[in-house]
Amino acid sequence: MMHRTSSRPLAKIMMTAAVGVMAAAGMAAPASAAEAPQAERSKMGAQFETVTTWVQGNVRTGPSTDHSIAYTVAANQNLTGVCWLYGGTVSANGYTHNKWVYLSDNKYIWGGLLKGNEVGNVSSLCW
């Protein structure tokens, strides 16, 4: 299990990285941290990947349980994953880790709810 040692919130770290990459590419910076993964996705041409839930769970507005629930998904529901990232640690269903999948609808799901590995077999790390 990986632990973040920084006291800076993950969204701020992602936003800072995205702004740096976009500035180097001559692109305008996103207006908020929530827009950063989408901006990176369009810049990098990331492959969308189907992920499937193995149990019912919550999809959230950010990568931790501190964020609001956007909607609930049923077991065996297909979603479209874009990339995965480190977020808040969750312990549920016999698993504990901090890996979240960023979805194509700009929401996040904890990887422990997905079939496959800890990130539902999504291959791209969000950066």
Side-chain angles (χ1 to χ4, degrees), residues 15-72:
M15 179 67 172
T16 302
V19 169
V21 168
M22 294 176 76
M27 298 173 63
S32 70
E35 294 177 26
Q38 183 176 6
E40 291 170 21
R41 181 175 72 232
S42 63
K43 168 80 170 93
M44 300 307 297
Q47 294 286 0
F48 291 4
E49 301 177 64
T50 299
V51 295
T52 305
T53 56
W54 69 277
V55 293
Q56 177 179 318
N58 295 321
V59 173
R60 296 187 174 269
T61 58
S64 78
T65 56
D66 293 338
H67 291 274
S68 303
I69 296 171
Y71 54 91
T72 300

Side-chain angles (χ1 to χ4, degrees), residues 1 6 23 46 55 84-85 94 121-122:
M1 177 171 63
S6 172
V55 293
W84 67 272
L85 63 149
N121 297 330
V122 171

